[in-house]
Amino acid sequence: MTAVTPTRDAASRYRIEPTVIQALRSPRLLTREVLAGLVVALALIPEAIAFSIIAGVDPRVGLFSSFVMAVAIAFLGGRPAMITAATGAIALVIAPVAREHGMDYFIATVLLGGLIQIVLALLGVAKLMRFIPRSVMVGFVNALAILIFTSQFPQLIGVPWLVYPLVAVGLLVMYLMPRLTKVIPAPLVAIVLLTAAVIVFAWNVPNVGDQGELPRSLPELFIPNVPLTFETLQIIAPFALAMAVVGLLESLMTAKLVDDITDTHSRKTREALGQGAANVLSGAFGGMGGCAMIGQTMINVKASGARTRISTFLAGVFLLVLILALGDVVAVIPMAALVAVMILVAIATFDWHSIRLSTLKRMPKSETAVMLITVIATVWTHNLAVGVILGVIAAMIMFARRVAHFVSVTRTIDDSGTTATYAVNGELFFASSNDLTTQFEYTDDPETVVIDMSRSHVWDASTVAALDAIITKYENRGKTVTIEGLNDTAAAFHGRLTGNLGNGH
């Protein structure tokens, strides 16, 4: 007798181990989480400063935003170990507000964007993730890897020659270190060694301090001084909506990526709510807002092995401590060390299996095309939302075209020659039913025609309209048509719409 395994309930399905309690009780796990948070904090500093420059605001705005969002999402988010902070995608979307309308309107946009994310989360936008196909996901991952790699170019072009051997040494350390021990994250070892070498030998290379001034005080509450009028809403609403959509899309895609890496399930609706709340809190403290960061998340989860909210929380705490208490030390960290970390992240993020010749030979051309469209659109626009949306649209078109070819119509005449039977086989929807009317011999058929639908399914109004058109063509010739074999759902759908679609029947 075969044993039946009960399906896990929702609570156990979303239980991700190790839990925070388990990590706190294990010195080994806790050490891993703490060191992972430290590495992420070090990597966040130059990124936050760079994104502040993109947004056209003071570097402190990006740094405070990263602190507030990392700490907030550690408690509010649905995906443990995922890093949320100020991001380039959000900076690009809302930069025009700071440039054209000033800081108060900029913060008002961030606050409204967070509120829109909360509303979208309550409306169930996270459930739309199921409609993103694997080929788009692979394209998203590969595009992110390319963007992470190319974003390092400014730190590699027009710099002292010493930068290049430092980056190479950093990569070598991170490659060899896991073979010796995994207790200490390899990126942290590389950062410490390269910083020590630069200080000891007094090498003059670009460092974190060159990226912008670090803040010296704690973030304070910021109430934007904007008139509460419809005109203000007209100015900030389009940017806030774009920020909300881009932020949620990038965050939910990153959450799914971490799910795949860790073989766990996370609560996407809670993650969407958490992102919205984190953005509201970020704006309330004068931050620029943000979303999940793929690069830092990969440092945390893949390079450092973190699995709990402790690493996310400590990334925010360490960030604040580093910039306030240890700002002078952080300022001397060579950018070469952080560039090496991000290059390793890009290499680890890219799905190399997807571009192997053996994979490309086996994969349907349509799947490969969707993946390439996603990659090209994302890299071209530097906008993950554009790439994913175009990828999904391309996947839908490819799927519709492929399924449309699976419909066949077979005609048979009975022995007496008085009845023609058409057996329709396949899924009928707008792409496949448009050609359905051309599959019938209206003039040559006998007086009675039977359309057998037992091996097909009616999915939309286009199919009902096509069937009505077929019946009309036969009736205009004085012939009788009977539709048989519709299942209950299709029959109810057909019965509700037939004759009411304005095609003259």
Side-chain angles (χ1 to χ4, degrees), residues 25-37:
R25 288 175 177 171
S26 167
R28 181 182 62 84
L29 292 178
L30 185 58
T31 300
R32 185 182 69 184
E33 297 292 318
V34 170
L35 293 176

Side-chain angles (χ1 to χ4, degrees), residues 364-383:
K365 288 184 174 58
S366 59
E367 298 279 322
T368 303
V370 169
M371 187 262 284
L372 288 174
I373 288 169
T374 306
V375 170
I376 293 168
T378 302
V379 173
W380 187 273
T381 62
H382 283 238
N383 190 321

Side-chain angles (χ1 to χ4, degrees), residues 121-142:
L122 294 173
L123 292 175
V125 71
K127 294 185 175 117
L128 297 176
M129 286 298 295
R130 71 184 69 178
F131 296 107
I132 298 179
R134 182 186 176 278
S135 52
V136 174
M137 194 69 197
V138 172
F140 167 80
V141 168
N142 290 346

Side-chain angles (χ1 to χ4, degrees), residues 3 150 223 322 327 338 420:
T150 56
I223 308 299
L322 287 169
L338 298 174

Side-chain angles (χ1 to χ4, degrees), residues 206-226:
N207 56 35
V208 172
D210 297 330
Q211 303 302 303
E213 184 184 355
L214 298 177
R216 301 289 179 183
S217 60
L218 288 168
E220 298 175 351
L221 279 174
F222 186 101
I223 308 299
N225 183 22
V226 296

Side-chain angles (χ1 to χ4, degrees), residues 407-432:
V407 174
S408 63
V409 178
T410 307
R411 176 178 181 260
T412 56
I413 304 292
D414 67 347
D415 294 337
S416 63
T418 57
T419 303
T421 301
Y422 287 87
V424 182
N425 187 8
E427 304 300 312
L428 294 170
F429 64 112
F430 62 89
S432 55

Side-chain angles (χ1 to χ4, degrees), residues 462-473:
S462 294
T463 303
V464 176
L467 291 172
D468 281 359
I470 292 166
I471 293 170
T472 300
K473 287 176 184 293

